[in-house]
């Protein structure tokens, strides 16, 4: 997971799955605020909830 921020404070969230090189990317209209970033991550990963394996199980 990474945030790309430019000099105008525009932000893009990227999620990269390294074994398959799948990329999920979305512009964040509210900047780097933690709650909107967390909600965006959850929304992007929700379609894959059956295939995501948690590391701490």
């Amino acid at each position: 997971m990474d945030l790309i921020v430019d000099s105008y404070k525009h932000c893009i969230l990227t999620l990269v799955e390294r074994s398959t090189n799948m990329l999920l990317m979305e512009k964040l209209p509210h900047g780097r605020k933690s709650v909107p970033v967390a909600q965006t991550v959850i929304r992007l990963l929700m379609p894959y909830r059956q295939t995501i394996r948690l590391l701490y199980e």
Side-chain angles (χ1 to χ4, degrees):
M1 182 169 89
D2 195 19
L3 279 176
I4 302 169
V5 183
D6 68 2
S7 60
Y8 300 105
K9 305 297 184 197
H10 298 126
C11 297
I12 298 174
L13 172 72
T14 61
L15 300 170
V16 178
E17 201 284 316
R18 295 189 308 180
S19 65
T20 61
N21 287 330
M22 183 173 78
L23 171 68
L24 301 172
M25 180 185 290
E26 184 162 325
K27 181 180 177 186
L28 299 173
H30 302 291
R32 299 186 301 179
K33 296 179 183 176
S34 61
V35 172
V37 169
Q39 291 171 342
T40 302
V41 169
I42 291 169
R43 189 173 44 74
L44 287 174
L45 292 177
M46 193 59 69
Y48 307 101
R49 66 183 175 268
Q50 299 300 322
T51 59
I52 293 174
R53 182 176 59 98
L54 298 175
L55 295 177
Y56 57 85
E57 286 185 335

